[in-house]
Amino acid sequence: MKTFGLYEEGFLAACTINGGGTGGGSGGGGGSGSGVGTTWTLRNPGFRTLHGVAHGNGTFVAVGYRGAILTSPDGVSWTARASGTGKSLNGVAHGNGLFVAVGEDGAILTSP
């Protein structure tokens, strides 16, 4: 499971990791080993306040303010998805083939 942080409020950072994978993180880090996390590109997916990012099954999922959920196959192009909630989502993780987002007032959402 890979979980990624945010660079700045509403901005995502992604890097290329040796072996062709993708990583992300807050600021300049992003793994260990020679060359890992050395090239970063700042992306603005179009939402001001995002709180969490996760990767699984070849998809990135970002969550944030007022139920914002965005997905991306590559960390570059982002698509807004309907969450069905107006509660802010504070984090997201991937495991066992599902994404799980958690937020204010105990909100818990899972991917289909």
Side-chain angles (χ1 to χ4, degrees), residues 24-106:
S26 50
S32 61
S34 176
V36 174
T38 58
T39 305
W40 290 81
T41 304
L42 190 62
R43 301 290 180 197
N44 181 351
F47 282 74
R48 177 151 170 75
T49 307
L50 297 172
H51 300 296
V53 181
H55 181 266
N57 291 344
T59 301
F60 291 93
V61 174
V63 298
Y65 183 66
R66 299 184 90 176
I69 296 180
L70 298 101
T71 62
S72 173
D74 57 12
V76 177
S77 301
W78 292 87
T79 302
R81 304 293 181 181
S83 68
T85 184
K87 305 288 185 185
S88 289
L89 301 173
N90 299 319
V92 61
H94 180 268
N96 294 327
L98 291 175
F99 286 96
V100 178
V102 296
E104 70 179 341
D105 296 332

